[in-house]
Amino acid sequence: MSFNDDLYSCVTVEESRELLGFVVEDIKTVTLIKYFKATTTLKHSNYTEDTWLKLRDAVGAIQNSTSIKYNLEELYQAVENLCSYKVSPTLYKQLRQVCEDHVQAQIHQFREYPFICIKSLDNLSFLKRMNRCWQDHCRQTIMIRSIFLFLDRTYVLQNSLLPSIWDTGLELFRIHIVSDSAVQKRTVDGILEQIELERNGETVDRSLLRSLLGMLSDLQVYKDSFEEQFLIETNRLYAAEGQRLMQERDVSETHCIWYAILCAILFSGLSTLLDENRVTELALLYQLFSKVKGGLPTLLQFWRDYIKSFGGEIVCTPEKDKDMVQDLLDFKDKMDNVAQNCFARNEGFINAMKEAFETFINKRPNKPAELIAKYVDSKLRAGNKEATEEELERILDKIMIIFRFIHGKDVFEAFYKKDLAKRLLVGKSASVDAEKSMLSKLKHECGAAFTSKLEGMFKDMELSKDIMIQFKQNQSEPSNIELTVNILTMGYWPSYTPMEVHLPPEMVKLQEVFKLFYLGKHSGRKLQWQPTLGHAVLKAEFKEGKKEVQVSLFQTLVLLMFNEGEEFSIEEIRTATGIEEGELRRTLQSLACGKARVLNKNPRGKDVEDGDRFNFNNDFKHKLFRIKINQIQMKETVEEQVSTTERVFQDRQYQIDAAVVRIMKMRKTLSHNLLVSELYNQLKFPVKPGDLKKRIESLIDRDYMERDKETPNQYHYVA
């Protein structure tokens, strides 16, 4: 059974009672609640007709620029009453008819106007009359719409085929005034005449021209009625001007004039065309410049300068660091498209683009390399569902193009290695194939030496799997804890600060069992445990039922304490676990202040303070069976970034020292300038002359080389 929504509302007893704050368990009946819609009570039978006469008088007063007899609020209310009385269709038609009659009457003032005139003043007067008529019409339409606003926002809005009151006003003016062939011709001819007068050096009323051109645009007749004729006249003007200049001047002078004109075009418009990616106009510009001697080299120089300027702004603005890499990729795509489709794949332009990219991307040392490494990490990390494997491969190819322009590739390697280690150890890599594809691209670009440590990291992970299989096969005593160990070669992986923590006896025992097994197979090696990289899956029981909690090793140590007691202070937890204070605060914050709060903190708050106490949250609820509780990450702090950057600089010093010794050992004696020149050829990262001088002085102090006693600018190798 169905009901008309205008008459009935069907509500169950449960729903109606819930509105009052009650819940009813047993629902059997359905209640029909009838409501009555308020309707307008008419004062007398001729209300509709009388109201329309009042509104028509008001519209007429607006159109004739006389005072309105009635209050505007009263008129608005009258329109609302008529719409409520459901006479909106009739009211709309009547209003349109009144407006149409008025606009039709306006055409006579233009038809009676003398069309055969000699003086330009008459044409100007005609344009002024047209502009005055247009301005009056716009003002009147706005006023009328304000009175009939309720009609416009209800009936008209609900009927998509009906134009709004404003659009109706434009339509009527277009049909009855501007579309009249004689009026349109006179208007367009008058505008063109004013433009020609200005081109000839005379003063014209620009605001009048702007208003009339705006009128043609608003009425959507600009392109058909004006633009074509305007372009024809402009073409004729420049053709005549070109002929005149060629007759008056010799060829070389004419060439200079054209060259100056083209340079002026570049100064005023090239940036705008490139910013707005106006491909058609840029292609025409290239064709134009290719016809003038010296045109293409000039265009190329402007193109190169634009890329340096725009790209430099992307790279050198710290506020844009978050989107820097994506902005660079988008900018490169845009410039590639211009070079391919507008500049006819001209090799000179493509090479200029590459040179410009290399220049601006290295204006800010190290930061672009760091951000590119982080961008790659965001794409290769698990949870990145933005792209399919094919799209990811295309993104990596584009990143490699940007990567080629970077001078400090060792900075990229340091940050990339740090992020790769996290992905491999925590199992956050989206795809092993994508990881190896990226590694292959880096190897192809920078050589095997660049990727040797990165490849070593993958080998360690594969060997660790084999070792764990052997360990489980040789395990004699069964254990309640399932242990997985990754054996990392120290030289391949980023350096981690060792941290001693207090592990539960069961974990310590299992560690010793593994240590005996491993050292039994690989004598002479040393194992150093890294608790900062550990993670675990714990089984927990809450009121809601059993859950599995995936946590870091530090979180594990804290949670296991609540098997032994109900409540602990932060000091008690620090003493029992041995976790460093800053790390402990972040760990407790993740367990008691994050989204998944398996611990309660007293007093409550977002931060962990000295006096806080913690207890197990037995009421914890979650829709998932296995819950991952993320460790509160320190935003990759300045300290961590500085640490990575300092390691890069330290490595660079070692490389400079090795290169100096290698060169001096081979050449035995060398002048300072030749040594520096050799170093620049061998080193693969940017380095300042002052830094090279410091390293040379350091090697002299350590007796690797010495200065010539007679010529201080010459060095000798010390065997």
Side-chain angles (χ1 to χ4, degrees):
M1 185 174 182
S2 62
F3 301 98
N4 188 320
D5 288 344
D6 286 339
L7 298 177
Y8 296 94
S9 174
C10 180
V11 184
T12 65
V13 174
E14 181 183 23
E15 289 169 341
S16 61
R17 289 190 182 179
E18 279 179 349
L19 293 173
L20 298 173
F22 300 102
V23 177
V24 180
E25 304 236 348
D26 185 21
I27 307 301
K28 293 183 181 177
T29 60
V30 173
T31 306
L32 297 179
I33 301 173
K34 186 172 182 178
Y35 71 87
F36 298 93
K37 200 170 185 177
T39 56
T40 306
T41 306
L42 302 183
K43 296 178 181 177
H44 51 80
S45 59
N46 294 328
Y47 177 78
T48 305
E49 188 178 341
D50 292 347
T51 304
W52 164 243
L53 291 174
K54 184 194 297 185
L55 291 168
R56 190 184 66 184
D57 289 347
V59 171
I62 291 169
Q63 291 170 339
N64 296 318
S65 300
T66 58
S67 60
I68 304 172
K69 298 178 184 178
Y70 310 102
N71 184 285
L72 290 177
E73 188 177 347
E74 180 186 345
L75 294 170
Y76 181 90
Q77 187 62 51
V79 172
E80 186 175 346
N81 290 341
L82 289 177
C83 291
S84 301
Y85 191 49
K86 299 192 175 179
V87 294
S88 301
T90 307
L91 182 61
Y92 181 80
K93 288 176 186 175
Q94 289 173 325
L95 176 61
R96 181 185 173 94
Q97 190 58 52
V98 169
C99 292
E100 188 165 16
D101 292 343
H102 174 73
V103 174
Q104 281 178 323
Q106 299 303 306
I107 193 65
H108 299 303
Q109 64 175 308
F110 299 107
R111 284 177 177 160
E112 292 166 3
Y113 201 84
F115 275 86
I116 303 171
C117 305
I118 297 173
K119 296 181 181 179
S120 61
L121 178 63
D122 294 330
N123 288 336
L124 182 61
S125 299
F126 178 86
L127 292 179
K128 287 181 177 178
R129 178 172 291 195
M130 171 59 74
N131 185 52
R132 187 164 55 251
C133 178
W134 164 247
Q135 296 294 340
D136 289 345
H137 178 76
C138 291
R139 178 180 51 76
Q140 292 161 11
T141 305
I142 291 168
M143 192 74 178
I144 291 167
R145 182 181 179 272
S146 67
I147 293 172
F148 289 84
L149 190 61
F150 190 85
L151 175 70
D152 205 31
R153 288 186 174 174
T154 53
Y155 172 69
V156 176
L157 202 60
Q158 292 163 8
N159 291 269
S160 57
L161 297 177
L162 292 177
S164 67
I165 292 173
W166 172 256
D167 290 339
T168 300
L170 295 181
E171 181 187 330
L172 294 174
F173 198 89
R174 180 174 62 249
I175 292 170
H176 297 294
I177 305 287
V178 175
S179 292
D180 183 278
S181 58
V183 173
Q184 187 179 112
K185 185 177 185 308
R186 185 65 187 278
T187 304
V188 171
D189 289 348
I191 294 172
L192 291 172
E193 184 183 78
Q194 291 298 304
I195 292 172
E196 187 177 357
L197 288 172
E198 186 182 43
R199 284 171 170 171
N200 292 332
E202 296 187 34
T203 305
V204 298
D205 187 347
R206 283 194 164 198
S207 61
L208 174 65
L209 292 177
R210 191 181 300 114
S211 177
L212 289 170
L213 291 172
M215 174 191 77
L216 296 177
S217 178
D218 291 342
L219 298 176
Q220 299 178 357
V221 297
Y222 177 89
K223 193 172 184 66
D224 296 332
S225 66
F226 175 78
E227 187 179 68
E228 188 176 348
Q229 291 186 55
F230 174 67
L231 292 175
I232 290 170
E233 291 298 323
T234 304
N235 189 39
R236 188 181 296 131
L237 170 75
Y238 282 111
E241 184 68 10
Q243 287 295 326
R244 184 183 68 79
L245 289 171
M246 288 176 70
Q247 289 172 4
E248 290 180 3
R249 305 171 191 272
D250 60 28
V251 176
S252 60
E253 195 176 355
T254 304
H255 166 72
C256 292
I257 291 170
W258 274 112
Y259 186 75
I261 291 170
L262 293 178
C263 287
I265 292 171
L266 289 178
F267 272 117
S268 60
L270 181 63
S271 295
T272 304
L273 294 178
L274 288 168
D275 287 342
E276 297 174 5
N277 200 28
R278 290 163 68 175
V279 178
T280 306
E281 289 85 347
L282 285 166
L284 291 171
L285 191 69
Y286 178 81
Q287 291 173 24
L288 178 63
F289 272 79
S290 63
K291 294 175 181 177
V292 178
K293 186 179 178 182
L296 285 183
T298 305
L299 177 60
L300 185 143
Q301 186 57 47
F302 274 86
W303 150 262
R304 184 192 287 119
D305 292 344
Y306 170 82
I307 294 173
K308 287 180 182 177
S309 171
F310 193 95
E313 190 178 338
I314 294 174
V315 169
C316 298
T317 309
E319 294 78 21
K320 295 184 179 180
D321 281 357
K322 186 180 177 184
D323 301 314
M324 181 199 289
V325 180
Q326 189 58 55
D327 289 347
L328 286 173
L329 292 173
D330 294 342
F331 183 50
K332 182 67 170 60
D333 283 346
K334 184 177 171 183
M335 293 300 99
D336 281 340
N337 181 50
V338 172
Q340 294 287 328
N341 300 320
C342 304
F343 297 162
R345 301 182 183 179
N346 187 310
E347 276 298 320
F349 282 81
I350 292 172
N351 291 333
M353 175 177 64
K354 290 177 181 177
E355 180 201 321
F357 264 84
E358 187 173 352
T359 301
F360 77 70
I361 211 167
N362 291 295
K363 272 186 177 178
R364 190 178 174 195
N366 305 326
K367 197 65 181 177
E370 175 192 334
L371 293 176
I372 289 171
K374 289 179 181 175
Y375 184 84
V376 173
D377 176 58
S378 72
K379 296 301 176 186
L380 293 177
R381 201 185 307 140
N384 173 37
K385 298 177 181 176
E386 298 172 11
T388 62
E389 286 187 14
E390 294 79 9
E391 288 169 343
L392 182 57
E393 191 67 20
R394 281 198 296 273
I395 290 170
L396 294 179
D397 285 335
K398 288 181 178 180
I399 289 169
M400 289 307 299
I401 293 170
I402 300 294
F403 173 75
R404 285 189 192 112
F405 300 129
I406 293 171
H407 290 163
K409 291 183 171 60
D410 51 344
V411 176
F412 171 89
E413 183 197 7
F415 282 96
Y416 182 80
K417 183 164 76 170
K418 179 170 63 69
D419 293 330
L420 174 62
K422 285 182 183 176
R423 294 198 299 275
L424 293 178
L425 295 173
V426 188
K428 279 193 173 182
S429 185
S431 161
V432 175
D433 291 339
E435 293 282 7
K436 291 190 173 177
S437 172
M438 185 63 190
L439 207 58
S440 173
K441 294 177 197 299
L442 289 171
K443 188 173 184 178
H444 182 264
E445 186 65 32
C446 304
F450 186 84
T451 57
S452 60
K453 291 182 180 179
L454 303 176
E455 288 172 333
M457 293 164 72
F458 280 96
K459 285 177 187 172
D460 281 350
M461 296 303 292
E462 290 167 7
L463 287 172
S464 297
K465 288 178 185 176
D466 296 336
I467 290 169
M468 288 315 300
I469 292 170
Q470 294 172 25
F471 173 68
K472 286 172 184 175
Q473 288 172 349
N474 292 339
Q475 218 172 347
S476 54
E477 295 181 17
S479 173
N480 294 329
I481 303 173
E482 186 179 337
L483 177 70
T484 302
V485 180
N486 290 315
I487 310 295
L488 314 180
T489 306
M490 194 170 283
Y492 294 158
W493 296 76
S495 57
Y496 300 102
T497 307
M499 186 184 293
E500 291 294 329
V501 293
H502 305 153
L503 298 176
E506 297 91 340
M507 287 188 185
V508 174
K509 181 182 177 183
L510 205 53
Q511 265 189 358
E512 288 301 319
V513 170
F514 179 82
K515 186 176 179 181
L516 287 171
F517 162 78
Y518 183 78
L519 295 180
K521 284 188 171 290
H522 305 279
S523 59
R525 294 189 181 181
K526 183 182 176 183
L527 287 179
Q528 184 185 69
W529 297 93
Q530 288 289 353
T532 53
L533 305 175
H535 52 94
V537 176
L538 301 179
K539 292 180 179 178
E541 242 182 274
F542 302 96
K543 279 185 182 177
E544 189 184 46
K546 292 183 178 180
K547 300 277 185 189
E548 286 187 356
V549 188
Q550 191 174 342
V551 286
S552 71
L553 182 60
F554 293 151
Q555 292 169 325
T556 302
L557 298 180
V558 171
L559 290 174
L560 289 176
M561 285 187 64
F562 292 91
N563 286 337
E564 310 299 329
E566 294 290 327
E567 187 177 76
F568 298 96
S569 68
I570 186 171
E571 190 57 45
E572 289 168 338
I573 296 172
R574 185 189 302 118
T575 304
T577 61
I579 301 172
E580 181 267 327
E581 184 175 351
E583 196 67 53
L584 179 62
R585 287 180 186 274
R586 284 192 295 279
T587 301
L588 289 169
Q589 195 177 7
S590 67
L591 296 170
C593 309
K595 290 182 180 178
R597 301 185 180 186
V598 291
L599 296 183
N600 291 322
K601 184 172 85 74
N602 188 22
R604 292 187 175 185
K606 290 184 179 179
D607 296 318
V608 175
E609 306 295 343
D610 287 340
D612 291 348
R613 297 188 68 80
F614 299 86
N615 59 67
F616 183 67
N617 181 12
N618 204 27
D619 298 322
F620 174 76
K621 292 181 180 179
H622 202 283
K623 61 182 180 181
L624 299 177
F625 175 70
R626 176 174 283 195
I627 306 124
K628 183 173 182 181
I629 303 178
N630 291 320
Q631 179 83 337
I632 298 289
Q633 294 286 339
M634 284 183 296
K635 299 176 185 176
E636 192 172 17
T637 50
V638 184
E639 182 184 335
E640 190 175 352
Q641 288 179 1
V642 168
S643 168
T644 306
T645 309
E646 280 178 355
R647 275 202 306 275
V648 172
F649 289 153
Q650 189 67 48
D651 288 344
R652 285 183 178 180
Q653 288 185 358
Y654 297 148
Q655 289 181 55
I656 294 170
D657 289 355
V660 171
V661 172
R662 193 165 53 245
I663 293 166
M664 290 304 300
K665 188 174 183 180
M666 184 173 63
R667 304 291 287 274
K668 304 301 181 185
T669 300
L670 210 59
S671 69
H672 177 80
N673 290 341
L674 284 175
L675 176 59
V676 169
S677 177
E678 285 278 352
L679 285 170
Y680 276 124
N681 289 333
Q682 290 196 18
L683 297 173
K684 295 180 180 178
F685 49 83
V687 59
K688 296 175 184 176
D691 294 334
L692 291 180
K693 192 173 180 182
K694 285 179 185 176
R695 300 317 306 156
I696 292 169
E697 293 291 344
S698 171
L699 289 169
I700 291 171
D701 292 341
R702 289 180 281 162
D703 295 331
Y704 281 94
M705 52 196 287
E706 62 182 7
R707 290 184 189 277
D708 188 274
K709 292 176 182 177
E710 296 179 1
T711 313
N713 209 24
Q714 194 158 339
Y715 306 115
H716 300 290
Y717 176 67
V718 178

